[in-house]
């Protein structure tokens, strides 16, 4: 605030200029919103450059340190949307000296505001500096439009984010007499079968994020703090809410409901966790009193879900390699009131399975670092500069590196002597991080007495048919289910015969069938796995999974097995 304290009152003609007048409270809050946005933008861009984000755009904005969440979120997203244009404009206008270059993120935010936003209330040094160069910025923007052959800025952003779609749009406008706004065209395209047709041509992440608005919101009730009935009652006061038919303690709310500031969210009674993400710990089904190891734990959503599933009894060991993420993990645990969690700031691969500390670990949840391709749309990754770098060499090399870790971690998890149940999950849609990982460790798993079991047998979308036993694997589709997740459940043979009581959601009877039932669903995987390595990037498509369930395919699979 000191920045504004000693400004003289506006008395001269010059003081009438917007940049010289006395700052109002709106000016001040815009000033601080731009600084908060710059801080978030810096974390987002640094994480994106290193491909190791501290958090998604949403989670960074909704952290407690950001005061003006709505304003900051809008500024960060809008600046990211225009970032490549802003960089080009700043480059060709050549207005920055080294001092301002060091404050790149603030400069991007302010440039956004000057060129595309609400330039009315621009106070502050960076703002003053850029306002004095507004003409140069505007003329650089005009030149950019001419160079690209575009009429206005909307066309330029659409063209950069939806290149294939934009090409079709211009073709349609040229060849027909139909007059349509680009935005309308994009919406129409997403809502119809054109989406599938377009998959090969345009950025599916962007399209999904538009389709996203029609999907329901999920919250998981943290039963350590609140029972399901009270949560239903409380949330039902303002929204239509009902229980999910498959995942216990999960509630479904209408699309677009914003619960970020709801008291139940703020006090940790409910967690804004998607259905697919909630399926992982639910598939593990740990018993109260068990010792459970969450091998790659931060930010801790699944850790505290495990704590709730064990009713706070027994012990959850939450292992996390990165120090900066351990802090986040601890905050989640405190928020959830999960008293039976012990945090280990360790490399999971360095934990010695033979050590007495782990001799009682009966279940492991392995949710390792992955490409995040299944949740990129929800996380707004399509706004990031690195988006789209998945099919180039760098992208593929990254996937190969991730896969190497995922295989090692899964093999390591299987080696804990007392483990009976193990879930491997990713939020990736790529076969290389999912079925291929399972395929490569399956011989080891079988030799240690594990088998693949079927989590949520009533769930339709299963694994891609590239590994024996893929019908046990579970996939969710980013377009159909909002998030693209993958879950594999391993169960040690000796424990299958045990009469394990099935846990069911408390209030509904229909959901009981939806829970795991290993006795009926375990199948022996007889065939020796071939180690032939095939790189296959999965294109999100519910069609593939449906195809796998099609009777013609089922018959063909049976025939080839005989
Ligand atoms: C996909 S995230 C886990 C998300 C978490 N299960 C949740 O639901 O909140 C993967 C985590 O594993 C951590 N990690 C990566 N390598 C690791 C290792 N070798 N040992 C332990 N943790 C690791 C990453 O830092 C990251 O926090």
């Amino acid at each position: 605030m000191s920045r504004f304290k000693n400004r003289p009152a506006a008395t001269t003609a010059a003081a009438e200029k917007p940049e010289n007048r006395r700052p109002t409270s709106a000016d001040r809050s815009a000033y601080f919103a731009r600084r908060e946005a710059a801080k978030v933008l810096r974390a987002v861009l640094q994480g994106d450059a290193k491909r190791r984000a501290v958090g998604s755009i949403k989670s960074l904005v909704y952290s407690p340190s950001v005061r003006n969440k709505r304003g900051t979120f809008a500024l960060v997203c809008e600046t990211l949307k225009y970032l490549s244009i802003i960089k080009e404009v700043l480059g060709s206008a050549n207005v920055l000296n080294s001092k301002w270059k060091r404050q790149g993120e603030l400069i991007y935010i302010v440039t956004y505001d000057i060129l595309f936003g609400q330039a009315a209330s621009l106070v502050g040094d960076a703002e003053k500096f850029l306002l004095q160069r507004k003409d140069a910025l505007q003329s650089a923007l005009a030149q950019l439009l001419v160079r690209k052959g575009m009429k206005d800025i909307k066309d330029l952003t659409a063209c950069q984010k939806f290149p294939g779609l934009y090409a079709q749009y211009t073709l349609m406008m040229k060849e027909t007499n139909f007059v349509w706004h680009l935005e309308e065209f994009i919406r129409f395209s997403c809502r119809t079968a054109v989406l599938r047709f377009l998959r090969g041509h345009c950025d599916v992440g962007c399209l999904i994020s538009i389709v996203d608005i029609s999907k329901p919101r999920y919250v998981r009730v943290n039963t350590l703090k609140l029972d399901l009935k009270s949560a239903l009652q409380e949330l039902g006061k303002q929204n239509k809410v009902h229980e999910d038919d498959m995942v216990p303690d999960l509630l479904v709310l209408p699309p677009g409901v914003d619960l970020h500031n709801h008291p139940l969210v703020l006090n940790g009674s409910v967690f804004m966790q998607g259905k697919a993400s909630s399926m992982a710990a639910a598939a593990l089904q740990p018993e109260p009193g068990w010792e459970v190891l969450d091998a790659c734990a931060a930010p801790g959503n699944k850790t505290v879900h495990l704590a709730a599933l064990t009713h706070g009894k027994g012990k959850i060991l939450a292992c996390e390699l990165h120090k900066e993420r351990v802090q986040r993990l601890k905050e989640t645990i405190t928020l959830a009131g999960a008293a039976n969690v012990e945090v280990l700031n360790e490399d999971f691969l360095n934990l010695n399975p033979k050590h007495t500390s782990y001799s009682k670990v009966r279940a492991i949840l392995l949710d390792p670092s992955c490409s995040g391709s299944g949740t990129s749309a929800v996380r707004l990754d399509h706004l990031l500069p690195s988006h789209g770098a998945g099919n180039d060499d760098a992208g593929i090399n990254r996937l190969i590196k991730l896969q190497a870790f995922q295989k090692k971690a899964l093999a390591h998890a299987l080696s804990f002597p007392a483990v009976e149940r193990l879930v491997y999950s990713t939020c990736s849609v790529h076969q290389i991080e999912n079925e291929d990982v399972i395929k490569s460790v399956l011989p080891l798993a079988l030799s240690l007495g594990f088998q693949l079991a079927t989590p949520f047998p009533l769930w339709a979308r299963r694994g891609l048919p590239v590994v024996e036993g893929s019908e046990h694997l579970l996939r969710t589709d980013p377009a159909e289910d909002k998030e693209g997740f993958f879950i594999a459940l391993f169960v040690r043979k000796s424990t299958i015969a045990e009469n394990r009581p099935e846990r069911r959601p408390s209030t509904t009877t229909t959901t009981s069938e939806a829970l795991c039932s290993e006795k009926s669903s375990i199948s022996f995987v007889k065939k020796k796995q071939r180690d032939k390595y095939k790189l296959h990037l999965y294109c999100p498509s519910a069609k593939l999974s449906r195809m796998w369930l099609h009777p013609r395919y089922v018959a063909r699979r049976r025939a080839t097995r005989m």
Side-chain angles (χ1 to χ4, degrees), residues 242-444:
H242 64 90
E243 277 183 74
D244 184 68
D245 57 3
M246 220 169 252
V247 183
D249 306 327
L250 193 69
L251 301 181
V252 190
L253 290 111
V257 169
D258 182 3
L259 293 173
H260 281 97
N261 285 324
H262 195 284
L264 293 188
V265 172
L266 296 177
N267 71 19
S269 297
V270 302
F271 278 76
M272 297 204 305
Q273 195 171 345
K275 175 165 176 162
S277 156
S278 305
M279 282 173 142
L284 192 65
Q285 273 193 280
E287 300 277 331
W290 275 19
E291 276 197 20
V292 184
L293 174 58
D294 186 355
C296 294
N301 293 321
K302 298 187 185 78
T303 313
V304 295
H305 191 184
L306 291 170
L309 289 170
T310 51
H311 301 180
K313 294 178 187 134
K315 187 154 75 176
I316 313 295
L317 293 165
C319 177
E320 170 57 46
L321 174 66
H322 295 112
K323 211 169 165 194
E324 70 274 17
R325 290 176 66 84
V326 165
Q327 189 48 37
R328 195 65 208 291
L329 172 62
K330 287 182 178 165
E331 284 164 15
T332 312
I333 293 167
T334 309
L335 181 67
N340 65 332
V341 182
E342 189 183 312
V343 174
L344 310 170
N345 184 190
E346 299 275 358
D347 183 340
F348 170 60
L349 298 177
N350 287 343
L351 300 188
N352 179 1
K354 306 240 159 57
H355 195 277
T356 47
S357 317
Y358 312 114
S359 61
K360 290 193 196 123
V361 172
R362 294 178 73 176
I364 294 183
L365 177 68
L366 174 63
D367 186 36
S369 297
C370 70
S371 61
S373 50
T375 50
S376 57
V378 181
R379 283 199 320 263
L380 306 178
D381 283 0
H382 56 279
L383 294 175
L384 299 177
S386 69
H387 183 70
N391 293 323
D392 57 5
D393 281 354
I396 287 170
N397 286 340
R398 179 172 169 251
L399 288 177
I400 291 173
K401 264 195 197 151
L402 285 167
Q403 191 208 41
F405 170 69
Q406 291 154 353
K407 280 184 190 173
K408 253 194 231 165
L410 182 51
H412 190 60
L414 288 164
S415 70
F416 282 69
V419 166
E420 298 169 28
R421 301 171 68 80
L422 193 166
V423 158
Y424 171 82
S425 62
T426 72
C427 54
S428 165
V429 291
H430 298 312
Q431 180 187 317
I432 182 173
E433 298 180 88
N434 298 331
E435 288 84 358
D436 287 356
V437 171
I438 301 306
K439 192 171 173 175
S440 83
V441 297
L442 204 49
L444 173 71

